[in-house]
């Protein structure tokens, strides 16, 4: 990605050189699609988010392992938000040091969360730059939307450094979103297109497979400057949902809906989680009256730490290149995912729409480019597939855009070691090992159709909408249906699915064994990343859902 150089030092030094810098490896370069407006007025108010160091993170991880492992006696014995707070809340010295530091700079307008591990404070740009030496706040614009970010890395006082993970509101920019529309060129003839009927046919859901449990719910989260239109949802259901019981309204919007035209990705997410997870109470998390210095994804994570009652399944179509984010930030976000998992929440992330991705390391050397949060070991990542024959409901092959690969930051979790090593040691042709980290967290975990969806936007049905932004809410809707069945039988919700999913070894899924996804356009790999293979692979995971088999397998655990 082309970027504007706004800071002359490259962050290539060791952490010891950057003492005082919480995020020494954070990319501070501004992408070229953001236009520089100018320096922020010193008196302008900013909102900063301080991530305080938590206690007992290793205990939290162990607790997540136990409640997510179907062979554990503690399987499904989830914690309440209060119990999570008592486990991870920052130590008293941490809270005292951070509060004193802020108050010594005149910062008193702060809000905390139930778990006490985030502080959101309002202050002026002038005070923020004194508080965080090195920071320089500027305004940037893209497509009519403005943000305030620092053009240089920030530091904190040495006595505060060990009490904070990072400070939000300085660097990470709102995402552009995944590429949800591709141009397709077909021979003359009728093209099938994916609708709720097609999905139900392919994945063996009957018209009777709808939600009925009163205590069940699901959600999508939006981090873009767009929104869904309730009229579009009603129109979509009238066109495509006539054969099954469904809801035509979102039950709750957390945040503020924008004005103007509805967004394609927001419409896609809502319409397909509500038509697959039909007749289930659905929430939409959207930008909550976003301040220019807020990070939308971080705001959502903070909300999860402050809400007692939440939907059981959340699907998110968001991602950044791992190498553009600081390790400190990603590790803390992983802890937030663990906090959600031990509460019985299932977080599903789209795997991305760039295949294996590509990063140029030098003039003659490239490597694949993993995406985060897709590469987190604590979420379920969903890839994409296409019909073998686009004119019929046939078996599936890989969608060439389906994101997948191996993390360069996070170790391969125990639950997937056997499956991934079987792939790496199989007869499938692999890219050169210099392109990826064979010991990293491998993704995706499963997949669904991601190609050529019909979506209603601004009252108009639009064809050829594609991307893992489509497959993720489809899988999320099916997991919500299964949660409903489990709740009616007195069983706990699925929570963090991966340990159970990998123990099933793909049995209740349609294995995808044909096709490869995108890689680097160079002489060595010639545009090809990884290829599908029997059982697990880093393009489609374990495969796509066979709903009756998946329901049966997940009700038995």
């Amino acid at each position: 990605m082309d970027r504007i150089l706004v800071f002359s030092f490259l962050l290539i030094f060791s952490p010891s050189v950057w003492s005082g810098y919480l995020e020494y490896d954070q990319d501070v370069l501004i992408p070229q699609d953001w236009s520089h407006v100018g320096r922020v007025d010193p008196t302008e108010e900013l909102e900063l988010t301080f991530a305080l160091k938590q206690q007992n993170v290793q205990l939290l991880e162990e607790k997540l392992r136990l409640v997510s492992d179907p062979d554990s006696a503690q399987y499904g014995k989830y914690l309440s938000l209060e119990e999570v707070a008592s486990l991870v809340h920052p130590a008293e010295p941490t809270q005292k040091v951070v509060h004193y530091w802020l108050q010594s700079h005149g910062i008193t307008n702060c809000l905390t969360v139930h778990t006490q591990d985030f502080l959101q404070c309002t202050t002026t740009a002038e005070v923020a730059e004194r508080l965080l030496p090195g920071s320089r706040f500027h305004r940037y614009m893209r497509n009519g939307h403005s943000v305030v970010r620092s053009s240089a890395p920030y530091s904190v006082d040495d006595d505060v450094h060990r009490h904070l993970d990072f400070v939000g509101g300085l660097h990470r920019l709102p995402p552009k979103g995944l590429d949800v529309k591709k141009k397709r060129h077909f021979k003359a003839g009728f093209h099938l297109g994916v609708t709720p009927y097609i999905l139900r046919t392919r994945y063996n859901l009957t018209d009777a497979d709808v939600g009925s449990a009163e205590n069940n719910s699901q959600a999508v989260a939006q981090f873009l400057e767009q929104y869904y239109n309730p009229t579009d949802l009603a129109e979509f259901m009238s066109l495509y949902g006539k054969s099954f019981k469904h809801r035509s309204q979102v039950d709750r919007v957390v945040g503020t809906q924008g004005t103007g035209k509805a967004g394609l990705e927001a419409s896609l997410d809502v319409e397909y989680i509500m038509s697959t997870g039909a007749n289930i109470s659905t929430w939409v998390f959207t930008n909550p009256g976003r301040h220019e210095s807020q990070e939308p994804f971080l705001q959502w994570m903070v909300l999860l730490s402050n809400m007692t009652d939440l939907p059981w399944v959340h699907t998110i179509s968001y991602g950044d290149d791992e190498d553009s984010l600081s390790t400190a930030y990603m590790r803390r976000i992983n802890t937030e995912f663990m906090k959600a998992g031990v509460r019985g929440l299932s977080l599903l992330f789209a795997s991305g729409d760039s295949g294996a991705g590509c990063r140029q390391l030098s003039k003659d050397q490239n490597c694949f480019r993993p995406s985060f949060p897709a590469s987190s070991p604590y979420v379920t990542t969903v890839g994409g597939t296409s019909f073998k024959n686009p004119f019929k409901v046939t078996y599936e092959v890989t969608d060439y855009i389906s994101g997948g690969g191996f993390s360069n930051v996070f170790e391969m979790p125990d639950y997937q070691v056997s499956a991934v090593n079987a792939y790496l040691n199989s007869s499938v042709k692999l890219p050169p090992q210099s392109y990826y980290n064979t010991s990293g967290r491998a993704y995706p975990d499963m997949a669904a159709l991601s190609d050529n969806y019909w979506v209603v936007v601004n009252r108009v049905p639009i064809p050829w909408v594609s991307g893992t932004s489509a497959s993720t809410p489809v899988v999320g809707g099916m997991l919500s249906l299964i949660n409903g069945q489990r709740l009616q039988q007195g069983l706990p919700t699925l929570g963090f699915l991966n340990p159970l999913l990998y123990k099933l070894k793909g049995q209740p899924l349609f294995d995808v064994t044909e096709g490869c996804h995108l890689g680097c356009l160079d002489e060595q790999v010639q545009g090809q990343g990884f290829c599908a293979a029997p059982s697990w692979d880093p393009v489609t995971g374990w495969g796509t859902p066979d709903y009756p088999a998946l329901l049966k397998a997940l009700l038995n655990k």
Side-chain angles (χ1 to χ4, degrees):
M1 181 182 290
D2 294 328
R3 295 177 182 266
I4 303 170
L5 185 62
V6 293
F7 186 69
S8 57
F9 296 104
L10 293 175
L11 300 185
I12 57 175
F13 303 102
S14 69
S16 60
V17 175
W18 289 91
S19 61
Y21 288 84
L22 292 169
E23 300 186 79
Y24 65 91
D25 54 348
Q26 171 66 45
D27 188 353
V28 299
L29 304 182
I30 306 298
Q32 204 166 33
D33 56 349
W34 288 94
S35 301
H36 181 239
V37 177
R39 279 277 272 158
V40 171
D41 187 281
T43 62
E44 184 162 338
E45 283 197 339
L46 308 178
E47 184 177 288
L48 301 176
T49 301
F50 298 87
L52 280 68
K53 287 278 188 186
Q54 298 152 312
Q55 298 186 99
N56 302 317
V57 174
Q58 288 184 327
L59 283 176
L60 177 70
E61 184 173 22
E62 176 63 11
K63 184 65 177 177
L64 177 64
R65 185 188 69 79
L66 292 173
V67 300
S68 306
D69 181 355
D71 296 330
S72 163
Q74 293 187 42
Y75 178 66
K77 295 181 179 179
Y78 300 125
L79 303 184
S80 66
L81 179 59
E82 289 76 13
E83 289 170 326
V84 173
S86 67
L87 182 65
V88 304
H89 70 87
E92 188 174 345
T94 290
Q95 296 190 54
K96 284 184 176 179
V97 167
V98 173
H99 281 279
Y100 177 79
W101 172 60
L102 294 171
Q103 290 168 3
S104 70
H105 285 79
I107 300 174
T108 57
N109 185 11
C110 296
L111 297 173
T112 190
V113 294
H114 200 90
T115 48
Q116 299 182 307
D117 46 7
F118 285 110
L119 275 177
Q120 293 190 301
C121 303
T122 301
T123 187
T124 64
E126 182 179 30
V127 172
E129 290 182 1
R130 286 202 304 268
L131 180 78
L132 304 168
S135 61
R136 297 290 182 270
F137 288 95
H138 295 252
R139 177 168 282 103
Y140 302 92
M141 294 277 296
R142 182 179 69 189
N143 299 329
H145 302 296
S146 65
V147 298
V148 171
R149 291 293 187 271
S150 174
S151 61
Y154 67 93
S155 61
V156 298
D157 294 348
D158 286 344
D159 56 346
V160 177
H161 187 276
R162 66 190 180 93
H163 296 288
L164 290 173
D165 285 323
F166 68 87
V167 181
L170 286 97
H171 297 312
R172 289 159 289 275
L173 290 156
K176 289 179 70 175
L178 302 179
D179 183 12
V180 295
K181 196 170 183 183
K182 301 181 295 184
K183 292 181 179 179
R184 287 280 184 167
H185 302 281
F186 293 102
K187 298 176 182 178
F190 173 74
H191 176 255
L192 188 67
V194 175
T195 64
Y197 171 78
I198 296 298
L199 290 168
R200 285 176 171 267
T201 301
R202 169 57 187 156
Y203 297 135
N204 293 322
L205 287 97
T206 69
D207 290 344
D209 288 316
V210 297
S212 57
E214 292 185 4
N215 54 344
N216 193 19
S217 54
Q218 58 190 1
V220 298
Q222 295 290 335
F223 311 116
L224 308 174
E225 296 291 346
Q226 60 169 251
Y227 67 103
Y228 87 99
N229 188 318
T231 306
D232 289 340
L233 175 59
E235 179 74 9
F236 178 86
M237 289 301 186
S238 71
L239 289 172
Y240 304 116
K242 292 178 180 177
S243 66
F244 52 88
K245 188 176 181 181
H246 61 267
R247 300 186 182 203
S248 296
Q249 291 182 328
V250 167
D251 281 337
R252 183 174 177 184
V253 175
V254 182
T256 305
Q257 282 270 62
T259 58
K261 292 183 177 181
L264 183 62
E265 184 166 312
S267 303
L268 171 69
D269 288 349
V270 172
E271 290 168 7
Y272 278 92
I273 196 171
M274 290 187 68
S275 56
T276 309
N279 203 42
I280 294 173
S281 176
T282 302
W283 296 19
V284 172
F285 286 82
T286 187
N287 294 317
R290 186 183 60 79
H291 189 282
E292 285 180 301
S293 60
Q294 285 180 355
E295 299 177 34
F297 177 71
L298 179 59
Q299 288 297 109
W300 174 73
M301 292 260 63
V302 171
L303 275 174
L304 295 192
S305 281
N306 211 33
M307 297 182 71
T308 304
D309 297 312
L310 286 165
W312 296 115
V313 172
H314 297 252
T315 75
I316 304 100
S317 303
Y318 158 82
D320 272 316
D321 297 327
E322 264 190 358
D323 57 87
S324 74
L325 302 170
S326 73
T327 303
Y329 171 83
M330 290 188 284
R331 291 197 185 283
R332 173 56 185 265
I333 295 299
N334 272 348
T335 303
E336 299 307 306
F337 293 153
M338 286 191 271
K339 284 163 59 180
V342 296
R343 295 174 63 189
L345 308 184
S346 301
L347 305 183
L348 277 67
F349 279 85
S351 69
D353 297 339
S354 302
C358 189
R359 182 186 183 195
Q360 185 173 11
L361 298 176
S362 64
K363 182 180 178 181
D364 301 315
Q365 186 178 3
N366 296 323
C367 69
F368 294 151
R369 195 170 207 174
S371 174
F372 182 85
S375 65
S376 168
Y378 308 105
V379 302
T380 299
T381 305
V382 182
T385 61
S386 303
F387 281 127
K388 175 67 172 179
N389 182 344
F391 304 100
K392 296 180 180 179
V393 178
T394 60
Y395 69 91
E396 294 160 74
V397 297
T398 62
D399 188 347
Y400 68 92
I401 64 167
S402 179
F406 296 78
S407 173
N408 289 321
V409 178
F410 307 113
E411 292 181 1
M412 189 181 299
D414 290 343
Y415 62 74
Q416 68 170 183
V417 168
S418 175
V420 177
N421 284 342
Y423 174 82
L424 293 173
N425 294 322
S426 70
S427 60
V428 68
K429 182 182 178 182
L430 294 170
Q433 285 197 10
S434 60
Y435 278 73
Y436 60 101
N437 173 26
T438 57
S439 62
R441 157 40 166 163
Y443 69 98
D445 303 301
M446 57 190 303
L449 285 162
S450 57
D451 199 19
N452 295 314
Y453 278 62
W454 283 90
V455 180
V456 173
V457 184
N458 301 307
R459 303 292 301 269
V460 178
I462 296 176
W464 303 322
V465 178
S466 302
T468 53
S469 292
S471 55
T472 307
V474 167
V475 172
M478 281 189 249
L479 295 183
S480 292
L481 291 175
I482 295 170
N483 266 343
Q485 294 286 325
R486 289 178 63 90
L487 290 167
Q488 288 181 327
Q489 295 187 22
L491 298 171
T493 56
L494 291 168
F496 177 45
L497 182 64
N498 288 10
L500 172 53
L501 180 66
Y502 280 79
K503 285 192 175 184
L504 292 174
K505 298 183 178 180
Q507 292 175 8
L509 302 169
F510 294 118
D511 198 3
V512 180
T513 60
E514 290 184 26
C516 307
H517 66 180
L518 297 168
C520 296
L521 286 169
D522 58 25
E523 289 186 10
Q524 279 196 281
V525 297
Q526 299 179 16
Q528 184 172 294
F530 297 98
C531 294
S535 296
W536 182 92
D537 60 70
V539 188
T540 62
W542 285 107
T544 62
D546 179 0
Y547 178 74
L550 188 61
L551 173 64
K552 182 179 179 181
L554 296 183
L555 281 180
N556 287 336
K557 299 297 181 181

